[in-house]
Structures are given as C-alpha cells and as structure tokens.
Amino acid sequence: QVQLVESGGGLVQAGGSLRLSCAASGRTFSSYAMGWFRQTPGKEREFVGAVRRSSGSTFYADSVKGRFTISRDNARNTVYLQMNSLRPEDTAVYYCAAGDSYSSREYVYNYWGQGTQVTVSS
C-alpha cells in the first residue's frame, strides 16, 4: 500500500510558476513509476507527465512540453512537478499517481493522491 499527498497548489498569474510536490509513504516509492494528471470539471482526467522508476526518464503531454518538468527524489519519497509559463488553461486539480508501468494511461496507476488545486488567472 502507498499513500500519496500533493501540495503546492494555489493561485498564480498567467506567466508565473508553481512547484507541486507529491510525498509518498512507505519504503517502496522507488519501485513505482510516477505520473501527474489533471482534471477540470466536466472533462476527463488528462495526462500531464510521468517519470520512470529506474532511469528517471520523463515524458510529457504536448500541451505542457517545454513548460513543465517532473523530477523525483527517492531519498525523500517525493516527486515534483515544476510548472513554468502557466496559462489559464492549465487551471485544474492536479493529481499524482503511482503505478507499475511508465504510461500516459490512467488505468495503469494503482494509487492516487487527493489532488491539489491550481488556478491560473489572466
């Protein structure tokens, strides 16, 4: 079992930056691939990016590529989402997730955090 908790969300102006954190419990954090997703009311949950458990390789959705960066600190059982050049359309609840596979598909992830709200004003 893994428990995830996100933090760092808030209100920011367009063009600004936020850094989200996802802290995981347990001693098995390094064995999981980690993903970030976001969801806006009335829409399906959208893939943001993911990081592999071994190599640390990352992959991002086209909508955030070049602006968002995922990193992980296994010693601290934490994964980060650095968000730069934020746009109003980035407004959403952001979730971190842990799974056995490195994937953009939601069903691959077994554990989810509670989410943190990110609001970008124009």
Side-chain angles (χ1 to χ4, degrees):
Q1 56 182 355
V2 176
Q3 188 173 22
L4 307 173
V5 56
E6 301 96 334
S7 62
L11 176 64
V12 65
Q13 280 190 312
S17 299
L18 281 176
R19 188 194 192 197
L20 305 184
S21 298
C22 175
S25 65
R27 300 180 295 275
T28 60
F29 176 76
S30 62
S31 68
Y32 291 98
M34 299 295 297
W36 283 95
F37 293 79
R38 64 187 183 184
Q39 188 168 26
T40 301
K43 296 184 178 180
E44 297 292 325
R45 192 170 294 180
E46 177 188 22
F47 172 75
V48 175
V51 58
R52 297 185 77 103
R53 58 187 175 185
S54 297
S55 67
S57 297
T58 55
F59 180 78
Y60 304 94
D62 289 340
S63 59
V64 306
K65 197 174 299 181
R67 300 187 297 119
F68 291 9
T69 302
I70 295 173
S71 61
R72 66 188 299 164
D73 186 341
N74 289 338
R76 295 185 176 185
N77 288 349
T78 303
V79 63
Y80 303 96
L81 179 65
Q82 177 66 48
M83 305 184 294
N84 299 324
S85 301
L86 283 163
R87 306 164 180 169
E89 51 264 41
D90 294 320
T91 295
V93 176
Y94 283 72
Y95 299 87
C96 69
D100 295 329
S101 301
Y102 175 65
S103 176
S104 62
R105 301 303 181 101
E106 183 177 344
Y107 62 80
V108 169
Y109 297 91
N110 305 118
Y111 304 96
W112 294 82
Q114 83 288 349
T116 185
Q117 177 70 47
V118 172
T119 302
V120 184
S121 62
S122 60

